[in-house]
Amino acid sequence: MTLQGKNILICISGGIAAYKITYLIRDFIKKGAEVQVLMTPSAEHFVSKLTLSTLSKKPVYSDFYSDNGTWNNHVELALWADVILMAPCTANTLAKMVNGMCDNLVLATYMSAKCPVFISPAMDLDMYQHPSTTQNLELAEDFGHQLIPAEFGELASGLSGQGRMAEPETISKIIEEFFSSNKTLTGKTVLITAGPTYEAIDPVRFIGNHSSGKMGFAIAEEAANRGAKVILISGPSAEIAKHQNIEIHRVTSAKEMFTKVFDYYDSVDIAIASAAVADYAPKEIAQEKIKKNDDSLTIELVKNPDILKTMGERKKKQFLVGFALETQNEEENAKGKLAKKNLDMIVLNSLRDDGAGFKGATNKIKILTRDSLTDYSLKSKKEVAKDLLNFVEEQMLK
Ligand code: C5P
């Protein structure tokens, strides 16, 4: 009874995959959950309320008012739910969700909810690939909702491609995992640095690098999911922190990052330095935009403070994790940094590996400690964040 005592609100919108929800309801009920089903008016064409209410053992609502004249309170329904599952979620319902429209009971309930929302889209392949759908799915993820991507296969239109709603077993597994995920970092504070730093040359120009911040934000998100309080100190990055346990501080230069880090460092349990901090900054920042008068221009650079090395020097109880992005003698250089910066572990990513490094959604890492080396396969940055924190937790228990 892995879902015992959990309240699951399923919102069905009008797609052929609606019939599959009947299997999902049975499965949730078998696992001990209470299930409340809502549907959009068009979903009623695809699956009957009678079937859904018999399986869920509750009346199914699709309108603000029931036939007997009672008002279906969307706020109450939303607050009742431990999770909301939008499945199948059509392109239309998705578009309305991310644009704040609430012209039916499903949407009004969704907008009133404070609990986690899972979205399982289902539509024809061209609708799934349409830029508006891509954008809307991204927006939904930015809101902090969890996307259960559509699968590849035969579609109701007879075409074949991505657009099939994830199978009920897949959805059920994701919901179960969500409820069973151990809050292994509850009570811990984790400090994470992320992104690049920009070192000003003059009011318009800077020295920077290609770091996107994706890795650091993924670690922050995963640590927060595990119950940690996260202090995320990020250089300029387009990433957004979604979890409410994440306190984000945005900085620009290495010096600003240094100051912010040491405002918090003494009180944290784990510190993870994933930022790509510029090693050097212009000695002087020109007050006005530098004119292109001469054929050559020399900018004198001075060394930035090494934030991670200073964290190593001031280390008391903190478990300290560094990153190394190397292009040659990778393991040797990473080991050197581990010792020199007094780290507990170092995460190595090599620019030689395809799919590893700065901008992409994937990474391939090796984790080194004083006496071990663990090699991981190419994974999404989300999965890498999980591996990394699993490793930290194991080491802290030693
Ligand atoms: O020495 P190197 O820059 O290669 O080390 C990389 C590691 O040190 C990363 O974890 C990075 O976040 C950190 N670092 C830092 N401050 C710097 C330079 C690097 O915290 N000024």
Side-chain angles (χ1 to χ4, degrees):
M1 298 290 260
T2 46
L3 295 174
Q4 186 65 44
K6 305 298 179 202
N7 293 346
I8 304 177
L9 184 75
I10 305 181
C11 295
I12 306 178
S13 49
I16 185 67
Y19 79 92
K20 289 191 187 172
I21 300 303
T22 53
Y23 299 96
L24 197 56
I25 298 171
R26 281 194 62 191
D27 188 55
F28 284 158
I29 298 266
K30 251 198 241 158
K31 288 174 178 158
E34 274 204 53
V35 179
Q36 171 67 61
V37 180
L38 303 183
M39 44 198 330
T40 61
S42 64
E44 289 190 64
H45 298 295
F46 294 91
V47 60
S48 91
K49 267 189 184 166
L50 183 63
T51 310
L52 297 167
S53 64
T54 308
L55 290 170
S56 64
K57 305 183 173 86
K58 282 186 198 297
V60 172
Y61 308 117
S62 58
D63 201 349
F64 289 101
Y65 302 95
S66 290
D67 291 341
N68 62 6
T70 51
W71 179 51
N72 300 320
N73 186 333
H74 54 92
V75 178
E76 221 167 67
L77 286 164
L79 296 181
W80 169 87
D82 294 316
V83 291
I84 292 186
L85 172 64
M86 310 292 298
C89 186
T90 57
N92 180 53
T93 291
L94 172 69
K96 287 181 171 180
M97 284 166 65
V98 297
N99 284 291
M101 292 174 70
C102 53
D103 58 357
N104 64 40
L105 182 67
V106 160
L107 293 162
T109 308
Y110 156 74
M111 277 196 80
S112 312
K114 292 187 187 151
C115 64
V117 176
F118 290 75
I119 301 175
S120 191
M123 59 199 80
D124 206 48
L125 79 162
D126 293 319
M127 295 171 83
Y128 198 67
Q129 276 173 4
H130 194 280
S132 65
T133 305
T134 310
Q135 204 175 6
N136 290 340
L137 289 172
E138 277 171 17
L139 260 177
E141 284 201 291
D142 286 349
F143 291 174
H145 304 334
Q146 188 166 330
L147 180 64
I148 306 173
E151 292 175 2
F152 289 82
E154 202 179 306
L155 302 163
S157 61
L159 297 172
S160 218
Q162 191 176 14
R164 283 168 67 101
M165 188 183 78
E167 290 303 325
E169 303 88 77
T170 311
I171 300 177
S172 178
K173 197 164 151 254
I174 289 171
I175 300 289
E176 259 185 301
E177 267 176 20
F178 165 76
F179 281 119
S180 70
S181 75
N182 306 342
K183 300 287 179 217
T184 40
L185 291 175
T186 302
K188 301 272 184 230
T189 305
V190 184
L191 183 148
I192 298 166
T193 68
T197 63
Y198 287 178
E199 312 298 332
I201 297 170
D202 66 16
V204 253
R205 298 153 177 126
F206 60 83
I207 296 173
N209 58 65
H210 293 300
S211 168
S212 62
K214 284 195 169 101
M215 193 63 247
F217 277 70
I219 302 167
E221 212 65 42
E222 180 58 24
N225 282 338
R226 295 181 184 206
K229 174 178 180 219
V230 178
I231 294 159
L232 175 60
I233 300 170
S234 175
S237 161
E239 296 294 303
I240 299 166
K242 297 159 198 161
H243 202 292
Q244 59 192 20
N245 288 8
I246 303 176
E247 182 182 310
I248 181 155
H249 300 271
R250 298 207 183 253
V251 296
T252 305
S253 68
K255 284 202 187 81
E256 284 169 23
M257 188 175 275
F258 184 95
T259 307
K260 209 32 110 188
V261 163
F262 290 102
D263 282 347
Y264 293 97
Y265 183 64
D266 284 343
S267 64
V268 308
D269 304 288
I270 301 167
I272 302 172
S274 67
V277 185
D279 291 324
Y280 292 90
K283 188 173 179 193
E284 268 159 38
I285 305 172
Q287 291 306 305
E288 305 297 335
K289 185 180 171 197
I290 300 171
K291 295 274 173 218
K292 53 170 181 299
N293 292 331
D294 302 322
D295 285 344
S296 71
L297 171 72
T298 306
I299 299 170
E300 191 181 347
L301 302 177
V302 288
K303 220 175 192 170
N304 267 331
D306 191 324
I307 306 167
L308 183 57
K309 188 156 174 278
T310 315
M311 285 198 258
E313 287 158 6
R314 299 188 192 173
K315 188 164 84 171
K316 291 194 183 91
K317 57 167 184 173
Q318 297 88 345
F319 187 91
L320 192 52
V321 182
F323 270 70
L325 181 73
E326 303 291 335
T327 53
Q328 53 184 347
N329 300 330
E330 288 102 338
E331 287 171 22
E332 208 181 299
N333 283 336
K335 273 235 138 160
K337 274 177 205 171
L338 181 83
K340 204 173 88 195
K341 301 194 187 195
N342 191 23
L343 309 180
D344 296 290
M345 68 181 239
I346 191 156
V347 182
L348 168 64
N349 35 99
S350 165
L351 271 188
R352 283 200 223 169
D353 287 319
D354 281 347
F358 272 167
K359 276 185 177 163
T362 56
N363 204 0
K364 184 173 174 347
I365 60 162
K366 288 180 185 166
I367 295 183
L368 291 92
T369 65
R370 260 158 241 265
D371 47 26
S372 73
L373 189 157
T374 316
D375 204 347
Y376 294 87
S377 57
L378 182 72
K379 294 182 181 184
S380 72
K381 285 186 175 168
K382 264 188 192 170
E383 293 301 316
V384 172
K386 286 184 187 163
D387 287 342
L388 191 154
L389 287 173
N390 287 344
F391 198 97
V392 170
E393 287 179 15
E394 270 169 36
Q395 294 291 311
M396 287 177 77
L397 285 177
K398 268 190 180 172

